[in-house]
Amino acid sequence: MRSFKLLDRLLGRSAAPAPFVSGESLRALQSALEAGKPCVLPLGTTVVPAPEYPEAERIAASIRDYPEDWAWTMKGYKLIHTPSGFVLWVANQDYGLAEVYSNGGKGDFSKPEQAIIWPAVEGWLARRKVGFTGRLPKARITGRSGTFWCYAKEHPWAGVGDSPEEAYRAWSHAISSQARNGMKPNEYLQVRSATL
């Protein structure tokens, strides 16, 4: 071994620079940054600021990226993340967002956290919104002994009448406010709860 190589080896110098290994170099860089020491970043490194509210960012990303994981636990008030059981109170924007605890209590999110989560919640709500199309759902009419019943699985009301038309008319007036606008004065229709 030549004396210069031996001297370089003893002093810890190497002729060629060490190859860049991303995992090791970044760990050393991170420890230096956490310690507050100045350091030189490798060429092409992108520095990204850490999020100020990581929990809010995770919730918003989950609602935005995996909307099928979220469902109503109390329609109009509480959303549940079905894989984890995390419950989010979303009643209205004025009241604010809150985490619902298993004992029934709530932990409110701060205003900056709500500003991160609300756009994702509003997007989820907009996708799940079902508007009234003006068309009544498909109904089923059955009859026995001169009495006809009209009902649909989606609604808890059944219309009763002496003819299929009368039963359908009673049922449509029970479930549709638009149909009720067409009722005659002093007209009475027989409607029963289908849940009994």
Side-chain angles (χ1 to χ4, degrees), residues 5-46:
K5 286 186 180 179
L6 177 62
L7 189 60
D8 285 341
R9 192 168 183 198
L10 291 173
L11 293 175
R13 295 184 274 179
S14 62
F20 178 75
V21 179
S22 62
E24 293 175 15
S25 299
L26 291 178
R27 252 181 273 135
L29 177 64
Q30 184 176 0
S31 63
L33 287 173
E34 288 172 357
K37 297 177 185 174
C39 56
V40 178
L41 300 175
L43 188 64
T45 303
T46 305

Side-chain angles (χ1 to χ4, degrees), residues 144-194:
R144 186 179 311 160
S145 303
T147 303
F148 292 90
W149 294 77
C150 180
Y151 61 93
K153 291 181 182 179
E154 299 90 19
H155 297 283
W157 301 104
V160 183
D162 294 331
S163 68
E165 294 82 13
E166 217 175 282
Y168 180 79
R169 183 173 165 78
W171 173 78
S172 65
H173 282 66
I175 66 165
S176 170
S177 61
Q178 283 185 329
R180 279 193 292 278
N181 290 337
M183 283 181 71
K184 299 172 190 160
N186 297 328
E187 180 180 20
Y188 298 98
L189 301 169
Q190 187 175 1
V191 179
R192 301 221 178 139
S193 173

Side-chain angles (χ1 to χ4, degrees), residues 58-70:
R58 281 194 305 273
I59 293 168
S62 174
I63 294 170
R64 216 177 13 256
D65 299 339
Y66 304 101
E68 65 279 353
D69 286 351
W70 292 84

Side-chain angles (χ1 to χ4, degrees), residues 78-184:
K78 296 178 188 175
L79 283 177
I80 185 168
H81 183 247
T82 50
S84 67
F86 175 79
V87 179
L88 188 65
W89 175 269
V90 294
N92 59 31
Q93 195 166 2
D94 296 332
Y95 177 82
L97 294 169
E99 176 183 354
V100 180
Y101 303 128
S102 58
N103 65 2
K106 292 183 191 126
D108 294 339
F109 289 103
S110 66
K111 293 294 181 188
E113 289 175 320
Q114 289 183 30
I116 294 169
I117 299 171
W118 258 115
V121 170
E122 287 174 341
W124 189 90
L125 294 173
R127 275 185 247 147
R128 298 299 184 273
K129 194 174 203 173
V130 178
F132 181 64
T133 61
R135 295 181 60 192
L136 294 172
K138 190 172 182 179
R140 176 173 284 174
I141 299 175
T142 61
R144 186 179 311 160
S145 303
T147 303
F148 292 90
W149 294 77
C150 180
Y151 61 93
K153 291 181 182 179
E154 299 90 19
H155 297 283
W157 301 104
V160 183
D162 294 331
S163 68
E165 294 82 13
E166 217 175 282
Y168 180 79
R169 183 173 165 78
W171 173 78
S172 65
H173 282 66
I175 66 165
S176 170
S177 61
Q178 283 185 329
R180 279 193 292 278
N181 290 337
M183 283 181 71
K184 299 172 190 160

